[in-house]
Amino acid sequence: MTPLSLQQYLAREETLRGLDPQLARVISGISEACKTISSLVRQGALAGVLGLAGSENVQGEEQKKLDIISNDIFVEALVQTGAVCGMVSEEVDHVISVPETEALGPYLVAFDPLDGSSNIDINVSIGSIFGILPADRPKRVAVEADFFKPGRNLKAAGYCMYGPQTQLVLTLGQGVVMFTLDPLTGTFRLTREAVRVEREAKEFAINMSNERFWEKPVQRYIGELLQGKDGVRGKNFNMRWIAAMVAEVHRILQRGGIFMYPRDSRTPDRPGKLRLLYEANPMAMIMENAGGAATNGHERILDITPEKIHERVAVFLGAAEEVERVTAYHLDK
Ligand code: F6P
Ligand code: MN
């Protein structure tokens, strides 16, 4: 039997679980944006989309052409749904409102249109990440404060990974499902349901080159993992680093592990590298819905009240036992 398409899945959720049709429209709009981005990623140099755009985003990072193109594709697709009233994108410094000429809806969307920028030009996995919040009330001009709600308020979150296959991973707050894009028909089809992350892990992901800049609890935790069988953990751990959060999270959802991006003494006024609204929160919601955990070392990521739309945060996510352990090391400093 052919697996359910994303549209059929959303229709089923509307019937069985009362999924709001407007929320379904937002998710469907995002999936269309992801298909278009996937096709450009696959064409690469042939579509003339590789290389630098010659500009910087608000965080002072060089923008690639595909970062900007993907951002525009997301904004356009979301506006077309008529179901959103504000957007925050990694690539745009201010909140994006819906133009006067277009319909307004009840949802706010925060997204990273293309995560893992350093992988774009080398043909390694990248992805798009999104989180969908309910607005208090739809209004023409969205403001930053509209987004200052802890991630536990998200109605849906997900990501699309452009790897050997294009896969869309989604949570509506009741588990995690995965769709694979059929490149022949352009349809996302449900290929995994009830995705679970084991509590225990034997694999970790962290940029080890930053070790000397980490805080003590992180140095202790990683030091113990590196000692393997000979140390207090009494077992060996393997390491992976793809340098795209989407790909690390995707691996962890398939075969377990922990992903970390801790704070760094080189930038003491910055609590981490990853952004709360459109990187940490959506991935934290996915992890928790798969039975995993996500903290900033001190508290649950989904409990943090944002104060800035591009706020950064330290991230420890994945296997619950490992996240609990590294969090405990921070707390008993
Ligand atoms: O968006 C930030 C990001 O690209 C993540 O996707 C990734 O996990 C991380 O940065 C890679 O960081 P580094 O450059 O330290 O390897
Ligand atoms: Mn990113």
Side-chain angles (χ1 to χ4, degrees):
M1 214 176 76
T2 320
L4 287 187
S5 68
L6 176 64
Q7 304 307 330
Q8 289 168 328
Y9 169 82
L10 293 172
R12 190 184 77 179
E13 290 298 302
E14 283 179 32
T15 313
L16 292 184
R17 284 203 265 245
L19 171 68
D20 175 10
Q22 300 222 64
L23 180 55
R25 283 228 297 283
V26 177
I27 295 166
S28 183
I30 290 172
S31 77
E32 291 303 317
C34 294
K35 276 188 220 172
T36 310
I37 297 169
S38 175
S39 144
L40 290 171
V41 166
R42 306 237 169 278
Q43 291 175 68
L46 300 175
V49 294
L50 301 186
L52 292 175
S55 50
E56 282 186 353
N57 64 16
V58 63
Q59 13 245 334
E61 297 159 345
E62 276 188 326
Q63 289 174 304
K64 300 268 167 62
K65 281 188 202 157
L66 256 182
D67 283 328
I68 295 179
I69 296 169
S70 304
N71 174 70
D72 297 348
I73 292 170
F74 251 81
V75 172
E76 174 68 22
L78 284 167
V79 166
Q80 289 304 318
T81 65
V84 303
C85 58
M87 292 157 275
V88 161
S89 164
E90 175 174 328
E91 303 305 332
V92 180
D93 57 354
H94 55 271
V95 174
I96 306 164
S97 293
V98 174
E100 288 284 341
T101 49
E102 305 291 340
L104 280 186
Y107 291 101
L108 298 163
V109 185
F111 55 90
D112 178 352
L114 206 55
D115 174 64
S117 280
S118 67
N119 283 355
I120 297 177
D121 290 345
I122 56 170
N123 193 12
V124 174
S125 293
I126 45 185
S128 306
I129 315 174
F130 60 91
I132 307 174
L133 277 172
D136 290 335
R137 68 191 162 84
K139 50 184 182 308
R140 196 45 75 182
V141 181
V143 296
E144 299 204 354
D146 296 335
F147 286 84
F148 296 166
K149 291 181 187 153
R152 59 173 185 269
N153 293 291
L154 287 166
K155 290 288 180 208
Y159 64 82
C160 184
M161 184 170 105
Y162 315 109
Q165 299 134 40
T166 292
Q167 290 190 303
L168 193 125
V169 174
L170 177 69
T171 179
L172 303 172
Q174 285 158 321
V176 176
V177 290
M178 289 188 185
F179 301 84
T180 303
L181 182 63
D182 179 343
L184 298 178
T185 61
T187 311
F188 276 110
R189 294 208 175 270
L190 185 64
T191 42
R192 264 196 84 187
E193 280 189 272
V195 178
R196 302 298 294 170
V197 174
E198 288 201 10
R199 283 187 58 79
E200 293 172 18
K202 43 184 188 301
E203 207 160 64
F204 67 99
I206 193 164
N207 185 340
M208 281 296 303
S209 69
N210 297 328
E211 181 177 15
R212 66 192 188 284
F213 307 116
W214 300 336
E215 292 179 319
K216 286 273 173 310
V218 182
Q219 287 174 339
R220 171 184 170 199
Y221 174 73
I222 297 293
E224 291 177 0
L225 299 188
L226 294 176
Q227 285 160 12
K229 255 187 169 341
D230 307 328
V232 290
R233 300 300 304 270
K235 68 175 186 182
N236 292 330
F237 287 83
N238 188 30
M239 199 203 87
R240 286 286 184 273
W241 189 249
I242 308 174
M245 188 194 201
V246 168
E248 319 290 355
V249 166
H250 199 67
R251 184 188 60 251
I252 290 170
L253 288 176
Q254 312 286 337
R255 66 174 197 214
I258 177 170
F259 166 86
M260 292 154 277
Y261 216 113
R263 61 186 305 159
D264 190 315
S265 63
R266 283 171 300 182
T267 43
D269 50 339
R270 211 171 87 170
K273 178 180 187 194
L274 301 176
R275 272 57 56 115
L276 178 59
L277 260 58
Y278 40 81
E279 293 179 320
N281 269 342
M283 295 313 201
M285 184 179 182
I286 289 172
M287 277 302 155
E288 289 196 4
N289 271 275
T295 76
N296 66 353
H298 298 270
E299 61 177 320
R300 188 181 169 222
I301 296 230
L302 295 178
D303 282 341
I304 301 171
T305 304
E307 293 174 353
K308 289 189 280 196
I309 55 172
H310 295 292
E311 178 168 334
R312 296 181 191 252
V313 66
V315 173
F316 301 86
L317 62 75
E321 268 188 17
E322 296 302 322
V323 175
E324 284 160 15
R325 179 183 281 262
V326 69
T327 304
Y329 287 6
H330 281 81
L331 298 177
D332 72 24
K333 245 192 305 190

